[in-house]
Amino acid sequence: MSPLVAFLRKEMLEQARTFRLAVLLVSFVLVGLISPLLAKITPELVGMIAEDELGGMELIITRAPGVNDALLQYHGNYSLLPLLVILLSFGAVSAEKSRKTAPMVLVKPVSRRSFILAKAAVPAGLLVAGTTLAAGGCLLYTTILFGEVDLPGYLLVNGMLLLGLLCYLALTLLASVLSPGPAAAAGIGLGGFILFSILGALPLIGKYTPAGLMSMAGEIILGRAVSGIGWSVLGSALLSLVFLFVAERVLSRQEL
Amino acid sequence: MSATSAIEARGLTRHFRDVTAVDALDLTVGGPGVFGFLGANGAGKTTAIRMLAGLIHPSAGSIKLLGRPVEKAEVSVRERLGYLPQEPAFYSWMTGEEYLLHTGDLFGLSRKESRARSAELLDLCGLEPAAKRRVGGYSGGMKQRLGIAQALINRPELLLLDEPVSALDPVGRAEVLELIEKLGKEATVFMSSHILVDVERVCEEVAIIDHGKLLVHERTAALRSRALRPVLTCELRGDTGKIERLLAAESWVEAVNSEPGREEPDMTVFRLTVTDRTEAEVRIPRLIAEAGVGLVSLSPALPSLEEVFIALVGRSQKESREEES
Ligand SMILES: Nc1ncnc2c1ncn2[C@@H]1O[C@H](COP(=O)(O)OP(=O)(O)OP(=O)(O)O)[C@@H](O)[C@H]1O
Ligand SMILES: [Mg+2]
């Protein structure tokens, strides 16, 4: 077994044994299944509440919920997942440093590049798997509850959401490398999330951020004309690579 | 084959803000054998070992391990290295056995090899009963044993052990020291410690550092016989009042201590610190004859490594205090 494969194996086992795997997959499945259900029952709920609270006042719901409402719910819920990714991975490197398990591994013939690579590849694989589950679940329920979904558009939206999520993962790994311990890593990760959320709303530069990319996916669901999807995708992809590259460079010089 | 040293440090220095933890350390360790690295708390042992392991960077100086510069952190060197930190840390969710298998994998052993080697080491380090338990529940001593086991998985040529027996009970300590002694037959074992009886037992060669500076580097036996005045023990039978006075009057006698023999009440054991051992060996029998007491034994005794350590480090610390004031 090569050192990289050995460390990948350990990372996968760790995700499973520490219940991160379960938390992540359950969250994705919930996002996939609950979103169309919510879209279906929200108007009815609102109607019921209105009847109770407003003493039988008729609330006129202008239209019945449709495919787009389900997908918008999905988009909204999926947009919370970056927080989960940050919470599940801020300790990836920082905890190994503060608990002193990293020096035990890195005096062995494992390069620091392999270390980071494994730290990125395993959760990235999980995000891909999770997104596949969520997208599949949402597609199934939406089709059952509301009717047919435009498949190419749906795939594009999911691809964009996934790339945004991966970019947040790369950001969290960088935070984890930069910090001496988990607390600082969580701080930097969440700070980065907030920063991107602000930058993502800005004109011109917003679309190059993962937040911008993910909200652009929402525009596509709404059927609005969006331009520069390619640039936005490129922006987040490049940003992810830069985060990983910097993380690797910093770690390779870091004292343990 | 040209003889490359296992460790070659030149001018090795490390500052932490205003502390100089390691100060221009020159150290060459050949091998195989067991090498003791001694020093008081805070002397700089751990810092030096972490630099040797490539985990922290020297502020100045250079290190070669097994003939290769350590800054490059070459895989080819790390494949031949075993390292036990002062406080080994493990993934608490793994069992001891899983950790060893994982370590074997990291060294590129085949699964079969990994399994065989882990079983062997679990047995060797007395961890067999705990092999299937989570490391998170291990005691300090068990963690140290696992730390030693993981450092040996690749049959390293050079072992860096930072206080390998500090957390062990007396039986465990004896076992591990025996293991270290055995390893020293084929590999170079570089171990730090301040438990001097242990070092005395297993290390052929020692270096003592203080405030990051090398005080001595010598073969253990030579250090013990050189560092302090020679000591002779002399067992005598009869009335020893006269011989005691005679000895005390001799110029080559620095100190005379006597105590009654433990088993035989009419016997007295003298411990003599002398300035000139040759003179002592010639004169003592004559004085004994003169005093008319029976000679049971006369033998050279060595100061313990502990006495040497305290004398050397004590002197060095006194000097540095004087320098400061
Ligand atoms: N990371 C660090 N930051 C600041 N100072 C440090 C650091 N590591 C070590 N030192 C300082 O360097 C000096 C040497 O410490 P080191 O841990 O090397 O000693 P040691 O000989 O291993 O001691 P002990 O026998 O207690 O383990 C000490 O004064 C210590 O405070
Ligand atoms: Mg130490």
Side-chain angles (χ1 to χ4, degrees):
Chain A
M1 202 179 285
S2 84
L4 173 62
V5 175
F7 201 69
L8 276 169
R9 199 171 159 278
K10 173 251 156 191
E11 282 297 303
M12 283 192 265
L13 255 183
E14 185 159 27
Q15 299 280 344
R17 296 269 185 94
T18 56
F19 302 107
R20 284 185 175 79
L21 176 70
V23 169
L24 205 74
L25 293 186
V26 167
S27 307
F28 272 100
V29 169
L30 283 180
V31 165
L33 298 186
I34 293 223
S35 302
L37 284 177
L38 272 178
K40 184 79 181 172
I41 62 172
T42 305
E44 287 162 24
L45 269 177
V46 171
M48 265 158 54
I49 293 166
E51 242 169 70
D52 276 2
E53 304 282 305
L54 307 172
M57 203 174 99
E58 279 287 303
L59 200 86
I60 299 158
I61 293 164
T62 48
R63 61 178 180 88
V67 170
N68 275 3
D69 298 278
L71 297 188
L72 278 179
Q73 268 289 348
Y74 174 69
H75 175 266
N77 291 332
Y78 195 103
S79 300
L80 294 175
L81 289 174
L83 286 173
L84 184 74
V85 168
I86 293 170
L87 291 180
L88 289 180
S89 48
F90 68 82
V93 181
S94 60
E96 291 234 18
K97 284 189 288 183
S98 67
R99 290 194 195 128
K100 300 285 170 203
T101 48
M104 302 277 295
V105 173
L106 291 172
V107 294
K108 311 222 154 68
V110 187
S111 69
R112 298 195 180 193
R113 180 168 300 165
S114 302
F115 185 85
I116 277 289
L117 207 60
K119 290 281 178 193
V122 169
L126 290 181
L127 295 187
V128 172
T131 301
T132 308
L133 280 177
C138 177
L139 183 66
L140 182 70
Y141 272 37
T142 307
T143 312
I144 292 172
L145 294 172
F146 301 103
E148 210 155 295
V149 177
D150 166 46
L151 214 51
Y154 185 65
L155 287 180
L156 176 65
V157 163
N158 273 291
M160 290 164 75
L161 290 175
L162 173 61
L163 180 59
L165 208 53
L166 289 172
C167 189
Y168 282 111
L169 173 67
L171 165 76
T172 313
L173 283 177
L174 175 59
S176 201
V177 167
L178 290 175
S179 315
I188 299 180
L190 292 173
F193 176 76
I194 294 168
L195 183 70
F196 275 146
S197 303
I198 296 168
L199 291 179
L202 295 181
L204 293 176
I205 56 164
K207 67 176 172 197
Y208 301 108
T209 66
L213 178 68
M214 290 174 92
S215 68
M216 194 180 269
E219 307 275 309
I220 293 175
I221 296 172
L222 283 171
R224 293 196 187 137
V226 285
S227 63
I229 297 177
W231 287 114
S232 185
V233 165
L234 196 64
S236 282
L238 272 182
L239 215 49
S240 308
L241 292 179
V242 168
F243 288 153
L244 283 184
F245 179 76
V246 175
E248 193 273 332
R249 288 288 80 202
V250 171
L251 185 72
S252 70
R253 272 163 214 162
Q254 209 158 48
E255 299 202 322
L256 295 167
Chain B
M1 197 186 92
S2 70
T4 47
S5 314
I7 300 174
E8 209 180 309
R10 290 282 158 273
L12 193 60
T13 302
R14 173 64 201 224
H15 308 288
F16 290 108
R17 267 162 250 112
D18 50 349
V19 181
T20 303
V22 174
D23 197 352
L25 190 65
D26 288 321
L27 201 59
T28 305
V29 178
V34 185
F35 188 97
F37 191 48
L38 316 181
N41 289 131
K45 304 181 293 294
T46 297
T47 306
I49 291 180
R50 287 173 71 214
M51 286 193 280
L52 294 179
L55 292 170
I56 58 175
H57 312 306
S59 309
S62 66
I63 304 168
K64 277 188 183 170
L65 289 192
L66 302 164
R68 303 299 203 119
V70 86
E71 306 82 63
K72 303 217 173 110
E74 281 177 62
V75 167
S76 67
V77 172
R78 285 190 271 148
E79 274 170 347
R80 296 151 69 198
L81 188 72
Y83 168 64
L84 170 72
Q86 188 163 1
E87 282 162 4
F90 309 96
Y91 302 112
S92 55
W93 50 269
M94 281 189 184
T95 68
E97 186 179 34
E98 282 173 332
Y99 192 83
L100 289 183
L101 289 173
H102 169 60
T103 309
D105 293 344
L106 289 179
F107 277 106
L109 303 187
S110 71
R111 260 282 129 154
K112 202 172 140 224
E113 268 176 295
S114 256
R115 232 174 246 126
R117 191 78 183 125
S118 304
E120 193 182 328
L121 287 168
L122 284 168
D123 183 42
L124 203 60
C125 296
L127 273 175
E128 221 155 40
K132 305 249 186 278
R133 278 168 53 191
R134 281 171 33 122
V135 183
Y138 275 22
S139 72
M142 287 157 83
K143 282 189 185 149
Q144 203 161 36
R145 287 160 185 263
L146 183 57
I148 293 167
Q150 61 86 36
L152 297 179
I153 203 125
N154 57 328
R155 303 181 193 277
E157 287 164 55
L158 172 60
L159 259 170
L160 304 174
L161 307 176
D162 197 352
E163 307 209 12
V165 293
S166 62
L168 300 179
D169 61 41
V171 176
R173 180 178 299 172
E175 285 168 5
V176 168
L177 286 173
E178 200 177 305
L179 174 62
I180 288 175
E181 209 169 2
K182 222 183 279 165
L183 292 168
K185 302 258 187 295
E186 281 164 20
T188 303
V189 184
F190 184 82
M191 64 178 270
S192 81
S193 181
H194 34 221
I195 302 169
L196 295 158
V197 280
D198 293 350
V199 173
E200 196 160 7
R201 241 188 72 189
V202 297
C203 301
E204 296 98 84
E205 208 172 313
V206 293
I208 301 182
I209 62 166
D210 186 50
H211 288 95
K213 286 202 181 73
L214 186 69
L215 292 183
V216 283
H217 172 188
E218 227 175 330
R219 298 194 68 79
T220 314
L223 178 63
R224 286 173 60 191
S225 57
R226 183 191 65 94
L228 286 186
R229 302 239 182 267
V231 174
L232 295 171
T233 46
C234 177
E235 292 177 301
L236 301 174
R237 202 189 302 277
D239 178 8
T240 52
K242 185 170 177 201
I243 179 92
E244 191 152 2
R245 280 194 302 279
L246 287 174
L247 282 169
E250 294 290 315
S251 61
W252 44 269
V253 175
E254 201 167 78
V256 186
N257 292 302
S258 66
E259 57 178 46
R262 243 168 248 149
E263 269 122 51
E264 300 170 61
D266 61 337
M267 215 167 80
T268 309
V269 182
F270 285 88
R271 202 172 155 85
L272 306 173
T273 311
V274 300
T275 51
D276 182 342
R277 188 159 147 193
T278 322
E279 173 116 27
E281 281 162 3
V282 175
R283 294 280 297 152
I284 288 173
R286 291 188 196 156
L287 295 174
I288 289 170
E290 199 181 325
V293 286
L295 172 61
V296 181
S297 75
L298 173 63
S299 55
L302 284 179
S304 68
L305 188 58
E306 187 146 346
E307 284 171 293
V308 177
F309 180 84
I310 291 170
L312 281 173
V313 172
R315 197 191 305 154
S316 146
Q317 296 192 336
K318 193 165 146 237
E319 278 165 14
S320 66
R321 267 197 305 275
E322 279 165 3
E323 254 169 52
E324 272 163 38
S325 63

